Amino acid sequence: PRGDMRALDGTNLQVKSRSGETVAIKRADNYTVNAVVKIDLGKVVPGTYVGIASMSQADGTQKALEVLLFPESRRGAGEGHYPWDLQAGSMMTNATVAGAAQSTGSRRLTLAYPQGTQTIVVPDDVPVVTTRNGERRALVAGPPVVGEVDSGPERTRAAAARRAGDEGPRRPQCR
């Protein structure tokens, strides 16, 4: 789930989702924390692996809402181009950067994945982030989080990883 962490009690988290629902999450014993950090778009070069939330444009391109430069260890995660729940009509493309070109006020990226390619325009004001290993003590009530969870009985979920979004711009993914 995405949302704001409301409470942390021992191994239990309470996250208020974007829909307003409070979700109970039980942290797994092996949970990790990844800090989200702002980076320069110049680090997104051919050969890097990215996840870009975007909206379709009239000319057939996508306009980026957020760019995530994946660590190399996450190459291949969620690869492809598919509908996303960030906002109505949004898409997610997780792919390798095949090409990049600068234009006035934006950068044009060509992303390649096994089923095809996408051209995504990244305006200069779009958040560009990556993750780094965080500390468990950084997981506190307040900051926005995006969680990777396995569903369990009675709306309880076991979290293997949490992403704290308090080290940079508020990520659209956390809205």
Side-chain angles (χ1 to χ4, degrees):
R2 295 185 188 101
D4 292 319
M5 188 159 24
R6 297 297 185 185
L8 172 60
D9 178 23
T11 61
N12 298 306
L13 309 175
Q14 297 292 319
V15 175
K16 185 173 182 181
S17 70
R18 293 182 303 169
S19 66
E21 173 188 21
T22 298
V23 179
I25 300 170
K26 180 179 178 1
R27 291 184 295 171
D29 292 337
N30 65 341
Y31 82 95
T32 60
V33 174
N34 295 312
V36 175
V37 293
K38 183 178 178 180
I39 61 168
D40 185 82
L41 182 58
K43 292 190 181 255
V44 177
V45 297
T48 57
Y49 190 75
V50 296
I52 302 180
S54 63
M55 295 295 293
S56 296
Q57 302 299 292
D59 66 359
T61 64
Q62 298 284 315
K63 181 179 177 184
L65 301 170
E66 177 186 71
V67 177
L68 169 65
L69 174 60
F70 281 103
E72 188 58 33
S73 63
R74 296 289 316 254
R75 181 175 290 277
E79 193 165 38
H81 178 74
Y82 39 85
W84 199 239
D85 65 351
L86 185 57
Q87 62 187 54
S90 66
M91 302 294 289
M92 175 56 70
T93 307
N94 286 3
T96 300
V97 178
Q102 187 67 42
S103 61
T104 305
S106 67
R107 191 159 185 211
R108 196 175 186 90
L109 300 176
T110 302
L111 304 184
Y113 49 96
Q115 299 80 19
T117 62
Q118 289 294 320
T119 299
I120 302 182
V121 176
V122 183
D124 289 343
D125 63 346
V126 165
V128 181
V129 299
T130 192
T131 61
R132 65 168 175 75
N133 291 335
E135 296 181 20
R136 287 183 171 193
R137 65 186 168 102
L139 196 58
V140 297
V145 294
V146 177
E148 299 172 16
V149 299
D150 294 322
S151 293
E154 301 173 16
R155 309 269 312 141
T156 300
R157 299 173 178 158
R162 310 296 313 160
R163 291 189 189 133
D166 59 349
E167 293 193 28
R170 181 168 171 109
R171 298 179 61 202
Q173 293 291 347
C174 293
R175 289 185 189 143

